[in-house]
Amino acid sequence: MSAALEEFCGSVFWNASYLARPDADLPVCFQQTVLVWVPLGFFWILGPWQLLPMCKSRAKKSSVTKLYIIKQVLAALLVLTAVAELALAFVEDTEQDPLPAVWYTNPSLYITTWLLVLLIHDARRFCLRRDSGILFCFWTLSLLCGMLSFQSLVRRALQGPISDVPRFVLFFISYGLQLLLFLVSGFSDIAPETKEIRKKNPQVTASFLSSITFEWYTSMVFKGYRKPLEIEDVWELKDKDKTKAIYAVMEKNMKTAVRKAQAELEKRKRKKRHQEGDPDHGNNMSKAQSQDILVLEEKQPKRKKEGDKGDSGPHKDFPRGWLVKTLCKTFWQNLVLSVAFKLVHDGLVFVSPQLLKLLIAFVSDEESFAWQGYLYAILLFLTALIQSVCLQQYFTLCFQLGINVRASLISAIYKKALTMSSATRKESTVGETVNLMSADAQRFMDVANFIHHLWSSPLQIILSIVFLWGELGPSVLAGIAAMVLLIPINAFLVAKAKTIQVRNMKNKDERMKIMSEILNGIKILKLFAWEPSFEKRVNEIRARELKDLVNFSYLQSVSIFVFTCAPVLVSLASFAVYVLVDENNILDAQKAFTAISLFNVLRSPMAMLPMVLSSLVQTNVSTARLERYLGGEDLDTSAIHHDPIAGSAVRFSEATFAWERDGNAVIRDVTLDIAPGSLVAVVGAVGSGKSSLVSAMLGEMENIKGHINIQGSLAYVPQQAWIQNATLKDNILFGSELDEARYQQVIKACALLPDLELLPAGDQTEIGEKGINLSGGQKQRVSLARAVYSNADIYVLDDPLSAVDAHVSKYLFEHVLGPKGLLQKKTRILVTHSISYLPQVDNIVVLVAGAVSEHGSYSTLLANRSAFAQFLNLYGSQEEDDEDIEPCVEEGPDDVVTMTLKREASIHRREFSRSLSKTSTNSWKKAQEEPPQKLKGQQLIEKEAVETGKVKFSMYLQYLRAVGLWYSFWIAMGYVGQYVAFVGTNLWLSAWTDDAQHYLNQTYPVKQRDLRIGVFGALGVSQAVFLLFATILSAQGAVRASRVMHQQLLSNILHVPMSFFDTTPTGRIVNRFAKDIFTIDETIPMSFRSWLTCFMAIISTLLMISLATPFFALIIIPLGIFYYFVLRFYVSTSRQLRRLDSVTRSPIYSHFGETVSGLSVIRAYGHQERFLQQNESTMDINQKSVYSWIVSNRWLAIRLEFVGSLVVFFSALLAVISKGTLDGGIVGLSVSSALNVTQTLNWLVRMSSELETNIVAVERVHEYTKVKNEAPWVTEKRPPHGWPSKGEIQFVDYKVRYRPELELVLRGITCNIGSTEKVGVVGRTGAGKSSLTNCLFRVLEAAGGTIVIDGVDIATIGLHDLRQNLTIIPQDPVLFTGTLRMNLDPFDQYTDEEVWKALELAHLKTYVQTLPEGLLHLVSEGGENLSVGQRQLVCLARALLRKAKILILDEATAAVDLETDHLIQTTIRSEFADCTVLTIAHRLHTIMDSNRVMVLQAGRIVEYDSPEELLKKQGIFSAMAKDAGITNTETTAL
């Protein structure tokens, strides 16, 4: 081979002696062949592919840019130099002997290569990214190889006259041009047409260099540093990364995979049936076999029972094993690429220790040449560089895989939810489905990030062991044994910690449950002065929680201790065994430090593998859940036909439907024909299948036989209104275009105008989740308005009038549904319970047990005297009674302010996220619709302050103060001690390895050996002991901080005034107790510890390198400055992106939850596509913030790893320079520390940013411990004992307002209420009735005037003294979880007899006696396990138990049945006869027998007299009485 090459160049090809001298050089022939052909070979293999866009592209070329022209000119000049060289060869050839072939072949090769470069430059104009990665790599390679020829030519020129001047000049010209091309191709070449695309996402047009260094992202980091990023600032995703594109591919693959899996499922079912149906089947088997089968069959059902949800028989089998296949098929390109990068990286990881070995050998060897050292230093730097580029690309791919898998799964789940059959839907609750999306999809995302460790970790472990064996021989096994032994210890600790965690989650849930109850019932707590009792309950749970937390932290510190011991133990075991096994084994620097750096490589895969495996196990569960859900049956709407039939809008033909495939038919043989434009009423008793009939029409049920034919579009009003979290207007428009005139007409017809006046922002009011800030009637009317606006052909109305008041329902029937209403021309199918409208409908269908018993017009059915007539008699009489009880006030909230206050809460909880998702799309719309400046008091909830910018240093101090300053000091000292020992260990090792030089050819003294091993071990152990000391201290300190902060927060929240709870959504307060306290409990201590560890590790590493080579200290300074700046820039961007991620994530889940609960409506209107699109855009907004965050991490990592590579390079370089003065040991120490520093640098930044993100929790908790409190609970001035003894109340010119900036609610009230007087308070909604009670209890403080009770001005005494001596029966009966007894008497002030007496008077005694636990009966959350009536009676029992002299009765508007109401009234009359009773009435009947009636209007008393007198006067009261159908006082006694 070499002979042929020698002939080819006409000189020596290879001679080793060229290298064995200080001024080594490569032979000329080697330079002309190998160094030229390697880059060209690379280019010719990969280059031609770059021409593909030219051949197949239909796109037009992008225009010429300056950069493109420069590139083409330089390439053309290169062609000219090559041509000149070829010409030169021909010229010389004619003059003398024939030249060697190489002078012809090389220039010709170059000519073709440079032409190909010209072509490639042109071809790239068809692409968005106009520069080529392959070209860039080629330039790099070519320059590197050319470097060697370059230096040898320069050296030759310096030694003597140049023999071949023209070639010498041409080489330098060509090299210079290549260098220029290399520099130019580093810039992104952006055509003017792509400027717009680049604004949206610069990644698309970024050059190759910019892509691998993430340079294109720098502008974002700067922007994030200058101002907090908003979601608009984040760049769009590339089209192929958008949810829609990913899901399209996934869906295609999913369909085929599911089909296959279903075929398998069928096979399995057949096999099973075959086995079950063939009993003789087993006879020919041997006995043992059949025994086995029996055992197997017994095992099977047991396993299935767990999955059982009440349906008999084993749980449904489902198509299995297709999900992972689908995902792999969808994302195979990503997987293949990342495997390639990971392989290169893993290979290079093992190159560094080998180079380190060579470097140490070089330093220890006096004879070696300087150039070798420089070569090793440069190679170390290059390996580190390539390694980091590969690693970052690999990570980007992995994380991208993660978010894409999550996106595609969420889309699949969402789409499935829209098409799911009702049977499948019943299998999982809304919560479970949302869980699939949040937890399971998230789990897939987490696994996707690390999936490659499955093969990479074992590979790294095997390679490390192989290399280690080469260094230390069998003694490696000792080290590995030590590592393996640590695994079960760790596993045990983890298991222990897990049980504690589980227990603690229970405590946490319990505490959160009580907290949210406290916050929901805070008004009751304040009115009854029960705060201390509840505070005690919370603190008991918290104490249990902290006890567990301390134990958990101790376990953690032990496991950290074990983990820190690991590297020391491993190296100690290996080296000790190595030295002890054989006298001749001497530990020298090469062996020791190569081994140590290999052990360092081993640590990461050893730690990763168990993690990946455990998370895979969890993912397995998720896979099954997702497969069951996504493989479920779809809705089958084949029974709904849409054929045109003249004269019929809806036709049922022998329709029989059931809710489940094999379930009982709920609709039986219905045959009906509904004419277009008619109004049909469907009536029947409860459970006769009215709603099922509607569901069958909408295609929500399983068809058994027959079909339904529907002509035209449907609109549907469900029984329970479904309201989206959007503005009122959006809820009505429901995705249609706005037609202002029609919109106004619809609003008027649906009686929504008065409501719009009450709502703060009219129809632009944002409605909370599930319509929380609308009353039931308003929701129903919005739902109706949506249907009317949709302008469909057929209206299916499922009892829309039940939720509204009688007079409103009359209005709606007249203006919307009836013969003269808006919908008179449409086909209307109305399910109804109210009989009064039946005479006006065209046709009545009577259902009995799912079948039509009769149908016809009102008159014909009455004449028939069958079921329908009986039905009428039954309900008709009742309805007459109902009519006159109905009050005329529209059921609205008790008084507008408190209700809106309470209810708007949930809206603004999502304001922030909402504004995010909207701003991008609606910013231009907003400009047109910008509502006028908000009025005072309209904006109820202040936006939550989102902390931006740097966290104040005072917060860190605040936290450390809570930990305790002494604690903090000693913890820090512990860490310092640990790292002092760490540096000591390493210096000792380096001294130990230098013994090999000192005792070169003599026996190694045993005493010296034992001393070395002993001290090495002792230092290692002391390192761990210091750490253990520090972590245990920090555990105690952290728990102390948790206790202090929670205590401050809780006691302060219970002391704040009611107005705070009105203006702050409960969710926000709960969040402080849940998430922020959790962060303070668990995350911050961890972050602080990790940060300290990283910081100390870096300091100690730099110290060691500086000890070895003192000049390194000079290099630290510029690197440190660079590091600091990168860190500062990055942290602010990253923190904000994390915030954006969490803020944009919640809308995905809430939108999904909303969709699932409103499925039937969405399907009925046929709006699936629109919701899918909305889901995709919500997803994309979240995806882009996550993607941006991922890239920001890579941007940082690659810059820091560059710093790390420089540290390695300089430590090696300085070692080479100061070769004579250093021992091998100290060099090994300095370079192996440097190799380790990169990771630590990365971690430090991560930890700093995490700590900053988390310390915000301290800030948020701190903010709520500073809220202004209400008046003190007990003051110096105590009321006299037994006060109030008479119960006289005087109002003196009393004024009050809700918040300082609002109008007065009560405007100067003056009146006297005598002892034991019964006073009724009436007035329209918003007249200030409820405010009156709030003032008596000082929930609102006076704005002027006084209230005097029995001669004591209530403003002068403590709140608890006041509140404990008044009694109230509140409007909505609030109960708390706990025993019944606790609900009546939380402080245990009364005896059991007294409690039973109160229950007896409240008519609950008999009920409570029937309960197994009696008084200790557990009340569930919100009193769910008692009926509304019973809850009201419990509240009455509370009042009876207190028996104060003054009773305030805020009358229940809640649906209390007449009987309960009657009981309450009579009890109050008898039991509270000697008390002063104030009744706030909504129904006039209850107060007709009071001594006096106070009529309020707009905050003033307008009439105050006995009811008889007021009825005679033609005033407001008599008008109200007339409305309620009351003419004289006698008729009303109940």
Side-chain angles (χ1 to χ4, degrees), residues 1407-1419:
Y1407 169 70
V1408 178
Q1409 277 169 337
T1410 59
L1411 297 171
E1413 291 98 9
L1415 282 179
L1416 301 179
H1417 174 66
L1418 281 178
V1419 178

Side-chain angles (χ1 to χ4, degrees), residues 668-916:
R668 300 202 182 98
D669 298 322
V670 174
T671 304
L672 260 184
D673 207 343
I674 295 173
S678 61
L679 167 55
V680 177
V682 179
V683 294
V686 175
S688 61
K690 299 187 295 295
S691 296
S692 304
L693 189 72
V694 172
S695 299
M697 276 182 66
L698 300 176
E700 299 273 323
M701 291 175 73
E702 296 282 351
N703 171 254
I704 293 178
K705 65 170 197 180
H707 67 268
I708 304 175
N709 190 55
I710 298 178
Q711 258 175 285
S713 54
L714 274 179
Y716 169 53
V717 180
Q719 204 164 1
Q720 296 233 308
W722 173 69
I723 304 287
Q724 272 186 288
N725 173 262
T727 61
L728 189 91
K729 193 171 195 165
D730 292 341
N731 261 303
I732 294 174
L733 296 181
F734 203 56
S736 317
E737 290 298 307
L738 174 64
D739 167 355
E740 193 57 49
R742 184 152 126 256
Y743 175 67
Q744 291 304 338
Q745 190 187 3
V746 169
I747 283 185
K748 188 163 179 291
C750 292
L752 281 167
L753 283 174
D755 302 289
L756 290 184
E757 282 161 26
L758 286 179
L759 289 171
D763 63 2
Q764 288 303 322
T765 308
E766 177 103 19
I767 294 176
E769 288 175 55
K770 304 198 181 101
I772 188 149
N773 47 339
L774 296 179
S775 66
Q778 288 169 324
K779 278 193 246 186
Q780 199 63 61
R781 293 201 300 279
V782 170
S783 176
L784 184 63
R786 172 193 301 155
V788 177
Y789 187 84
S790 73
N791 204 6
D793 307 324
I794 298 167
Y795 284 79
V796 180
L797 310 153
D798 194 352
D799 205 3
L801 302 175
S802 58
V804 297
D805 289 5
H807 66 284
V808 181
S809 105
K810 212 175 259 168
Y811 177 91
L812 289 178
F813 191 81
E814 269 167 39
H815 289 78
V816 183
L817 308 174
K820 299 193 184 61
L822 262 184
L823 302 178
Q824 53 194 21
K825 302 272 192 305
K826 313 275 188 190
T827 313
R828 289 142 298 165
I829 297 169
L830 172 68
V831 173
T832 183
H833 285 130
S834 108
I835 288 167
S836 44
Y837 308 121
L838 294 183
Q840 301 175 45
V841 303
D842 305 329
N843 213 337
I844 299 172
V845 175
V846 184
L847 283 183
V848 177
V852 176
S853 74
E854 48 191 327
H855 67 98
S857 66
Y858 187 70
S859 44
T860 42
L861 289 185
L862 265 188
N864 284 356
R865 288 235 164 259
S866 55
F868 175 67
Q870 287 165 7
F871 176 79
L872 274 190
N873 293 338
L874 185 68
Y875 282 97
S877 54
Q878 277 188 17
E879 203 145 300
E880 257 64 286
D881 303 350
D882 286 2
E883 289 293 313
D884 45 286
I885 299 171
E886 272 310 336
C888 206
V889 186
E890 151 70 342
E891 37 68 58
D894 50 338
D895 77 317
V896 181
V897 189
T898 37
M899 287 311 266
T900 27
L901 286 176
K902 268 200 220 116
R903 287 212 170 121
E904 290 216 352
S906 91
I907 315 171
H908 297 270
R909 213 172 305 163
R910 287 175 51 204
E911 265 295 90
F912 184 34
S913 57
R914 193 75 1 217
S915 61
L916 282 172

Side-chain angles (χ1 to χ4, degrees), residues 182-202:
F182 169 73
L183 294 174
V184 170
S185 67
F187 294 102
S188 308
D189 180 9
I190 300 149
E193 308 87 285
T194 53
K195 279 247 165 48
E196 274 312 300
I197 301 176
R198 179 168 181 269
K199 270 204 192 92
K200 281 190 188 154
N201 184 3

